Amino acid sequence: MKIITPLLIATSLLIGCGADNDKKKKDFKISQDSYAVQTVASDYSSSQVAIGNLIGDRSATQGLLTKAESNFTISTYENNLYHIGKNQIDAISRYDATQSVSNSEWAYGANHDDEGSANTYTLVQQNATNGYLIRYGSTFVLQVDPSAALEENFVKAKIDLSAYNYPGSEYPRMVDAVIADNKLFVALQRLDGWAPKPAYIAVIDIETNEEIDTNIQEDGFKGIPLNATNTFSLVEHNGQIYAAGRGGYNSDTGGLDVIDTTTYAITQLIDESSFPQLIDFSDDDNNSNDSYYHVLDVAVVSDQLAYATLNIEIGYKTIETKIVMINPSTKELTILSQPTAINGKEISDLNIDSNDRLWVGIANADAPGIWVMDTDTNTISGDFIELDMPAKRIEFLTVQ
Amino acid sequence: MRILLLLSILLLSLNGLANEEIHLGSLTVGASKKDLMNSDYQVFQREDFVNRYQNLASFLQQKNGLQIQQAGGLGNPALVSIRGASASQTTLLVNGISANNSQHGGYDLNTIPLNQIERIEISRSGSSFDLSDQAIGGTINIITREGANNQNFSLNLGSEETLAASFSSSFDQGLSIQVDHEQSANSYDYPVPSPIANSSQRNQDQPLNNAEFSRSSVQLVQSFEEISARVRLNKQSKNIPDYFRNHPNNNASLDKQDATFSLQGKHKLEHENTNSALVSEHNWQVFHQKTNEHYQDDMGVIGLGKDNDKFYQTRSEAQWQSKLLFEQWQFQTQVSGYEESFSSRYLNDDDSFLCSTPQGNCDQKAYQQGIQALAGVRWANKKQNQQITIDVYQSHTNSYNRKRSSTKDSEEKNKYFIGYNLKYSVFNDASETHFSIKNSNRQPTLYQLFGDRGLLLGNPDLLDETSLSYSVDNLYSINDRHQMNSAIFYRQLKNAIVPVYDSRGVGRYENSKKAYLAGIEWQWRYQGDHFYSHLGADLYQSESLDDNVKSFNNKQIAGIYHNSVSLITGWSQQQHNIELINRINANIYIDRSNLIAGDNYHLTDINYQYQYSQISLGFSIKDLMNTRYKDFTNRPAIGRQWIVFTNFNF
């Protein structure tokens, strides 16, 4: 019994601390304009959000909104941060970043009478009471009221885009959207399995939720046919919409289109002939050793200055990402070789802040983080923002 | 739960009276004295587990230093972690043949029903001349039954419409047959994150749809004096539930059939010379297995689209082992060779023919061939109180694949590895102590090399995982009734294979740098005339060092409970045996980046058995208190399960 007693005591002590898991939430709020970045672990086993100041000391506060899943993204509107669970999560939470980035104002489902996972990619917000959930795995855009205090009042209407389903597919794969001229522009990838097919932008009249026919003279879809396939990103600036499409997954290059929001005229800024030096194609029936660039993202400063990422891939392997500087007016393209800090890196996201600085998400697993660049000189602004995990999406919050 | 712990303590304290006052009747059930063994190498016989546990995973879960990894209900693969190693770093042998699948490295502890098992051997720290343990974590060898002495029938009924039945019989001339069937509806209540009927009712408890499982197997064994032949046929079907929405129309399923043939021989020769006896033993085995799998998801509920995928696998292996015993020396040599092939057909996916998807779906045939040669020596001094064991082995593997769209094989990947086990053992009347060093490896699986059917591409340049482990295992018999097992170990692991995704979401396996894991395992055992008790704990500390992936660097190894305590108390008297098992598991990170701490939990199981003549009856309740927690995958655990056993020998 002498031996038993201390062992039992030890066991009892362990039992006493065994029942509950102490999961302390990290409470945080912002007091000035800030950036927010969704980061994801390299093995996709967890994710977290990081937030920091837009100017001055930009060091990131990490460990916010930690999740055991990786399929999360963020959207922002003024001081509101939306944490969106995508495929097989289908939930959206809103946080007033000036009050708390731990306790949500509300948490609602992003599925709505859907058969499978709606896989919400983003919330595009027009004003305090009107926004749109863009859902990759659904045929419907959900018009929502972000100010709804009850979930039953969250969804206001559904906009059906099933006409754009590629034959044999169950949904058109809407990937991004922007609002301009009181219209909602929705990018639709329209993949056939993994094979990219003609992509479109559907244009919705916000007043009526009806689709606008952008080309009355022709039969077919009402939307705007894009030159580049497999659209990944839409950005709007001054009445122009920039659509970046990566093309196929191990072949062709995709490109960058710009669309006038009034006339719907489309101009291609980047195509497969833009950078022949970045293509290495050997006609040996083995596409795993061919090198292509893929246009994944775009960020716009002005009518004369924009940036896009060119992801250099061999087979399915990313070699590096280059940034190309674009003059949309003259269509001049320049691959940036400066600053050297971004050379040879894998870049996951671009965004422009309110000070016209370019935010570059570095996704290299050994040293993930963000570089901020002054776009008038294409030089680094401030220190490298170190992150624990690669950034997936960079957004901005403003203190009202 | 505290009441149950107090009950355990009460049972323990009552023992002080029991030993003096209770006359020992005919003890036909109870804890086997063979439980009293060193943590380094353990052997369990049939009476230790038959009619006491639902399956092998349930039995092993009680053992010190072992963590069972099974998410979901019956039919989901049950894996095991030994001494904090990952499940893939454990080797499961069936009659000495590896059950680890070269295709995906997995195995299922519950593939062989307990009723078909004769003996279970577990090695942790390295070589035993009886069980060749070359795994990073440890090795489990299941020896199946070879000829029942009588007829036996058992029937188990349990929660979630679980049913298991088995029949075994022996005939003249050494022929025996075993037939088993088990099934379960697995329709336990599950908190559905986004119920399809009403997605706003998040985490609403619903009976899980489309989770049924059934498995039938038959084994024929023909035994002669020195040769036995074994044929085993297995068919199983597992429906795949939609854990996210619990879709009522979900009909995803994975069907599997496999056929196994093995022939083994054992020859013992005594060579007399003038002074000493020289004994040699020669064992050989040939084995062939063919497995077909069919995964279907007509509704496209589970994956990213509709699936109709077929997978075929074959494995052939031959082994020869010779042992020589001469005075204080034992020598052994072992030569083995195997060939394994795997082919896939994604029938609904045109892109898979061209292998042009970033998912890794690729119609292909992959091959792996390997040979290994081992030499071992064991020396014991004349007093038999010291022993030195040395095993050295070299393995060579060759892997390559051919895509269906290609007419050429890929470049062959050849790998060599030299491993060794060194052990020094000291024995005295009260204790035995083993000092061990083990150098082991784990080869990448064919999926890891050539593409996974999930969201991961292949990486043919993957290196083997390697480890160097040091351990000290001690068994101390305090007296006839009290025994203490303890072990302390340290393991360095290099090149652990981990999935890494890039910013596009395309992933493949990579080698991480290194990790270490140190641990203390101890167990105190008491065996009285009627009462028995085991109290044990496992305490681990680990760190991964990976400067290729910043968020993995200087983090605790994920997926392993680093603190575990178990208290097993039992009472056996005449025909009755009752056992209460309390387990606490704590300190686990779900993810490699250590953002997500898993749930600590305390579970209580109860087992009862009644033996009358040739009939035994019993019941087992797992998770008696229906504890709500998330398991090592961060998925809600099933909760309370019960099963009633009946067994007839005639």
Side-chain angles (χ1 to χ4, degrees):
Chain A
M1 289 300 288
K2 287 184 182 176
I3 298 171
I4 298 169
T5 304
L7 292 176
L8 283 174
I9 292 171
T11 308
S12 303
L13 290 172
L14 278 168
I15 290 172
C17 67
D20 300 313
N21 189 22
D22 184 16
K23 297 185 178 112
K24 291 181 181 172
K25 285 187 179 177
K26 197 169 190 172
D27 207 357
F28 177 82
K29 60 183 177 183
I30 65 173
S31 57
Q32 57 179 286
D33 289 359
S34 303
Y35 67 89
V37 55
Q38 175 71 61
T39 67
V40 173
S42 296
D43 64 349
Y44 276 25
S45 61
S46 57
S47 62
Q48 61 179 331
V49 171
I51 295 177
N53 296 327
L54 202 64
I55 57 175
D57 181 359
R58 298 189 179 114
S59 301
T61 297
Q62 303 188 73
L64 303 171
L65 303 179
T66 59
K67 298 290 182 186
E69 300 90 0
S70 61
N71 231 340
F72 278 89
T73 188
I74 54 173
S75 294
T76 57
Y77 180 79
E78 295 177 348
N79 55 305
N80 292 310
L81 173 69
Y82 296 94
H83 199 215
I84 301 172
K86 299 166 68 180
N87 191 36
Q88 299 284 315
I89 302 172
D90 291 313
I92 179 169
S93 305
R94 180 165 103 163
Y95 301 84
D96 179 351
T98 60
Q99 300 300 316
S100 171
V101 185
S102 297
N103 302 306
S104 61
E105 289 188 332
W106 49 254
Y108 298 148
N111 268 2
H112 185 79
D113 300 332
D114 295 287
E115 282 291 303
S117 171
N119 194 4
T120 302
Y121 266 34
T122 188
L123 168 66
V124 179
Q125 190 160 349
Q126 181 192 22
N127 54 45
T129 59
N130 193 45
Y132 300 88
L133 287 182
I134 307 303
R135 310 180 313 151
Y136 191 83
S138 175
T139 56
F140 293 95
V141 172
L142 291 185
Q143 184 185 19
V144 298
D145 177 3
S147 69
L150 298 174
E151 188 164 0
E152 59 212 53
N153 302 328
F154 181 57
V155 176
K156 298 196 292 187
K158 294 168 23 173
I159 301 169
D160 185 1
L161 296 178
S162 60
Y164 289 92
N165 291 1
Y166 189 81
S169 298
E170 307 217 347
Y171 40 85
R173 304 191 190 222
M174 58 187 85
V175 65
D176 202 357
V178 294
I179 294 175
D181 292 342
N182 218 29
K183 289 174 274 192
L184 176 70
F185 295 80
V186 184
L188 306 156
Q189 286 181 347
R190 302 183 74 243
L191 303 185
D192 177 18
W194 293 98
K197 299 299 177 184
Y200 280 77
I201 292 180
V203 185
I204 310 297
D205 185 334
I206 285 179
E207 297 297 325
T208 63
N209 280 349
E210 294 293 327
E211 188 179 0
I212 296 171
D213 192 340
T214 63
N215 196 342
I216 298 174
Q217 283 86 16
E218 290 190 21
D219 294 331
F221 295 128
K222 296 179 180 178
I224 306 164
L226 296 172
N227 296 304
T229 60
N230 205 1
T231 314
F232 260 45
S233 175
L234 280 191
V235 170
E236 188 274 337
H237 180 84
N238 198 23
Q240 306 291 312
I241 292 177
Y242 296 77
R246 69 156 283 135
Y249 277 96
N250 65 343
S251 61
D252 81 66
T253 60
L256 179 67
D257 293 319
V258 59
I259 301 102
D260 188 293
T261 60
T262 307
T263 66
Y264 311 121
I266 184 168
T267 306
Q268 191 160 22
L269 297 179
I270 298 175
D271 62 17
E272 68 273 9
S273 65
S274 300
F275 307 103
Q277 72 275 25
L278 298 181
I279 295 177
D280 184 7
F281 172 75
S282 55
D283 193 7
D284 59 355
D285 288 334
N286 182 8
N287 53 22
S288 65
N289 56 17
D290 298 332
S291 167
Y292 292 94
Y293 59 87
H294 299 272
V295 184
L296 291 190
D297 203 2
V298 60
V300 183
V301 180
S302 68
D303 293 339
Q304 291 78 37
L305 181 60
Y307 298 87
T309 55
L310 308 176
N311 212 47
I312 314 300
E313 299 172 15
I314 294 180
Y316 294 112
K317 187 175 178 181
T318 294
I319 306 302
E320 66 168 311
T321 311
K322 293 188 182 294
I323 296 180
V324 56
M325 187 171 66
I326 307 160
N327 186 330
S329 300
T330 65
K331 298 185 189 176
E332 185 179 350
L333 304 172
T334 307
I335 294 178
L336 293 184
S337 56
Q338 298 285 344
T340 55
I342 64 169
N343 287 345
K345 302 296 184 186
E346 185 180 339
I347 295 170
S348 53
D349 198 23
L350 295 180
N351 210 337
I352 300 291
D353 70 13
S354 56
N355 302 310
D356 286 343
R357 291 195 174 94
L358 177 67
W359 289 63
V360 182
I362 304 298
N364 295 70
D366 60 340
I370 300 172
W371 281 117
V372 183
M373 286 171 51
D374 287 318
T375 55
D376 49 355
T377 57
N378 286 331
T379 56
I380 296 293
S381 162
D383 295 328
F384 181 61
I385 301 172
E386 290 189 9
L387 299 172
D388 289 338
M389 301 176 175
K392 282 287 229 184
R393 190 167 185 95
I394 304 169
E395 296 285 354
F396 303 106
L397 295 160
T398 56
V399 175
Q400 302 302 303
Chain B
M1 64 182 78
R2 291 187 185 272
I3 293 174
L4 289 163
L5 177 64
L6 288 172
L7 179 61
S8 306
I9 298 170
L10 180 63
L11 282 171
L12 194 157
S13 59
L14 277 175
N15 178 63
L17 297 172
N19 283 344
E20 280 110 29
E21 293 183 1
I22 304 293
H23 173 70
L24 181 63
S26 57
L27 185 68
T28 56
V29 296
S32 166
K33 282 190 164 50
K34 292 188 175 63
D35 259 355
L36 305 177
M37 59 192 79
N38 195 301
S39 61
D40 167 51
Y41 176 63
Q42 296 173 310
V43 179
F44 301 96
Q45 306 293 339
R46 272 184 69 80
E47 58 264 28
D48 295 323
F49 46 81
V50 168
N51 302 323
R52 295 177 66 179
Y53 300 93
Q54 182 180 6
N55 47 40
L56 180 57
S58 301
F59 167 66
L60 292 179
Q61 199 159 40
Q62 322 304 331
K63 301 307 163 195
N64 216 29
L66 269 59
Q67 294 183 19
I68 302 301
Q69 297 178 347
Q70 181 178 18
L74 192 66
N76 289 299
L79 309 173
V80 61
S81 159
I82 299 181
R83 287 197 170 166
S86 69
S88 59
Q89 293 164 349
T90 300
T91 295
L92 182 70
L93 306 175
V94 178
N95 300 315
I97 299 287
S98 175
N100 288 62
N101 189 307
S102 282
Q103 169 191 343
H104 51 70
Y107 50 84
D108 184 0
L109 287 173
N110 296 332
T111 300
I112 298 180
L114 277 179
N115 205 50
Q116 285 188 16
I117 300 176
E118 181 65 40
R119 188 171 79 248
I120 300 166
E121 303 169 342
I122 303 175
S123 171
R124 293 174 172 78
S125 67
S127 170
S128 161
F129 257 46
D130 297 309
L131 172 58
S132 182
D133 173 18
Q134 295 155 17
I136 289 173
T139 298
I140 298 174
N141 187 23
I142 301 171
I143 309 299
T144 58
R145 294 199 81 189
E146 195 174 289
N149 293 329
N150 52 17
Q151 277 71 45
N152 175 274
F153 173 74
S154 71
L155 179 67
N156 301 343
L157 300 172
S159 51
E160 317 309 338
E161 300 173 45
T162 298
L163 179 147
S166 72
F167 172 77
S168 62
S169 179
S170 60
F171 307 99
D172 293 337
Q173 308 300 325
L175 178 66
S176 65
I177 184 171
Q178 285 134 37
V179 181
D180 291 87
H181 175 80
E182 62 180 338
Q183 64 185 55
S184 179
N186 283 327
S187 55
Y188 52 90
D189 284 345
Y190 184 82
V192 182
S194 183
I196 193 161
N198 187 347
S199 59
S200 64
Q201 298 292 322
R202 284 179 291 282
N203 297 313
Q204 180 189 63
D205 273 0
Q206 292 181 353
L208 203 57
N209 292 328
N210 197 59
E212 297 85 353
F213 169 75
S214 70
R215 173 163 51 210
S216 302
S217 67
V218 59
Q219 176 172 269
L220 284 168
V221 181
Q222 175 66 62
S223 303
F224 302 102
E225 192 175 328
E226 290 187 335
I227 294 178
S228 64
R230 185 178 278 112
V231 173
R232 186 162 181 273
L233 305 173
N234 183 69
K235 181 177 178 180
Q236 67 185 54
S237 176
K238 177 71 180 73
N239 288 346
I240 314 298
D242 171 16
Y243 288 105
F244 172 65
R245 306 211 69 191
N246 206 22
H247 200 301
N249 297 336
N250 172 33
N251 62 0
S253 66
L254 176 64
D255 297 326
K256 178 178 171 182
Q257 295 114 38
D258 57 73
T260 304
F261 168 77
S262 66
L263 193 65
Q264 59 190 79
K266 186 176 284 194
H267 313 285
K268 196 167 182 178
L269 304 169
E270 293 189 16
H271 315 270
E272 295 288 343
N273 64 21
T274 53
N275 296 320
S276 307
L278 182 69
V279 178
S280 68
E281 186 177 296
H282 308 276
N283 304 314
W284 57 267
Q285 180 164 203
V286 292
F287 166 92
H288 180 76
Q289 182 178 57
K290 185 174 166 59
T291 305
N292 295 344
E293 287 182 306
H294 188 190
Y295 174 67
Q296 297 180 87
D297 181 11
D298 298 336
M299 299 284 294
V301 171
I302 305 299
L304 296 177
K306 295 177 183 175
D307 282 290
N308 186 7
D309 310 330
K310 293 195 173 183
F311 307 98
Y312 308 94
Q313 186 183 344
T314 63
R315 182 182 173 96
S316 301
E317 185 166 343
Q319 286 182 1
W320 179 278
Q321 182 190 59
S322 289
K323 293 182 184 177
L324 189 70
L325 173 63
F326 178 67
E327 294 184 342
Q328 296 145 252
W329 294 88
Q330 293 182 56
F331 302 92
Q332 74 166 342
T333 59
Q334 191 178 90
V335 177
S336 60
Y338 74 91
E339 179 178 87
E340 192 156 343
S341 74
F342 158 72
S343 64
S344 59
R345 293 285 181 270
Y346 298 91
L347 300 175
N348 275 359
D349 187 354
D350 295 333
D351 296 328
S352 69
F353 178 82
L354 299 172
C355 296
S356 60
T357 84
Q359 268 185 300
N361 285 8
C362 178
D363 286 356
Q364 62 174 309
K365 191 158 188 176
Y367 301 87
Q368 188 168 85
Q369 294 139 352
I371 57 172
Q372 179 177 284
L374 177 149
V377 60
R378 171 174 283 177
W379 170 85
N381 65 353
K382 285 193 175 176
K383 291 183 181 176
Q384 297 288 317
N385 60 1
Q386 292 184 65
Q387 185 173 282
I388 295 174
T389 308
I390 300 173
D391 288 333
V392 180
Y393 61 92
Q394 180 175 2
S395 61
H396 170 211
T397 56
N398 176 30
S399 309
Y400 59 97
N401 76 332
R402 177 184 295 192
K403 296 174 185 175
R404 190 169 157 220
S405 57
S406 172
T407 56
K408 291 184 292 186
D409 293 336
S410 69
E411 180 187 346
E412 290 186 3
K413 297 294 175 184
N414 294 301
K415 291 195 178 71
Y416 297 86
F417 179 78
I418 296 177
Y420 56 84
N421 296 323
L422 310 173
K423 183 175 290 189
Y424 172 66
S425 306
V426 179
F427 304 89
N428 61 39
D429 290 340
S431 75
E432 58 181 81
T433 305
H434 306 270
F435 302 86
S436 307
I437 301 174
K438 181 163 79 165
N439 185 35
S440 309
N441 74 326
R442 181 186 81 83
Q443 297 154 9
T445 66
L446 293 176
Y447 267 164
Q448 290 169 338
L449 290 171
F450 301 122
D452 199 312
R453 56 186 162 184
L455 286 168
L456 288 153
L457 304 176
N459 181 0
D461 299 322
L462 279 174
L463 303 173
D464 289 2
E465 297 180 340
T466 59
S467 78
L468 186 61
S469 304
Y470 307 86
S471 62
V472 179
D473 293 83
N474 175 260
L475 168 65
Y476 180 65
S477 294
I478 301 165
N479 54 38
D480 284 347
R481 295 179 184 268
H482 295 268
Q483 186 186 59
M484 185 77 173
N485 269 354
S486 58
I488 183 168
F489 69 92
Y490 174 81
R491 180 190 305 127
Q492 283 180 352
L493 178 68
K494 288 185 181 176
N495 298 323
I497 296 173
V498 299
V500 179
Y501 293 86
D502 66 16
S503 59
R504 304 163 300 162
V506 179
R508 65 179 209 165
Y509 291 98
E510 304 276 354
N511 288 114
S512 61
K513 281 290 177 69
K514 53 183 168 182
Y516 85 85
L517 188 140
I520 297 174
E521 297 171 354
W522 62 262
Q523 188 178 55
W524 163 78
R525 298 168 180 261
Y526 172 80
Q527 178 66 57
D529 294 332
H530 301 288
F531 175 81
Y532 61 92
S533 183
H534 306 161
L535 175 64
D538 304 329
L539 304 168
Y540 302 144
Q541 185 176 7
S542 69
E543 186 176 12
S544 65
L545 303 165
D546 190 345
D547 49 18
N548 288 334
V549 181
K550 181 181 176 185
S551 67
F552 298 166
N553 201 23
N554 301 119
K555 298 289 166 46
Q556 180 174 288
I557 292 174
I560 304 292
Y561 292 97
H562 280 53
N563 299 340
S564 299
V565 175
S566 69
L567 173 63
I568 301 173
T569 49
W571 183 270
S572 301
Q573 181 150 16
Q574 296 179 341
Q575 295 97 341
H576 301 274
N577 179 71
I578 184 167
E579 188 174 78
L580 200 65
I581 302 152
N582 284 284
R583 279 180 290 124
I584 296 172
N585 283 330
N587 191 2
I588 182 174
Y589 280 106
I590 303 297
D591 63 317
R592 285 187 180 85
S593 305
N594 287 181
L595 280 188
I596 313 295
D599 284 352
N600 303 331
Y601 62 86
H602 172 197
L603 296 183
T604 302
D605 303 339
I606 185 167
N607 299 327
Y608 170 76
Q609 183 186 10
Y610 172 76
Q611 180 85 42
Y612 178 76
S613 184
Q614 301 301 315
I615 301 172
S616 68
L617 305 168
F619 69 84
S620 171
I621 304 175
K622 290 176 67 174
D623 190 8
L624 184 65
M625 307 308 292
N626 200 26
T627 306
R628 288 273 182 163
Y629 69 98
K630 290 187 178 178
D631 61 22
F632 69 101
T633 65
N634 211 40
R635 183 176 286 172
I638 293 175
R640 185 188 304 123
Q641 296 173 275
W642 59 267
I643 194 158
V644 176
F645 307 98
T646 57
N647 188 73
F648 307 92
N649 288 314
F650 53 93

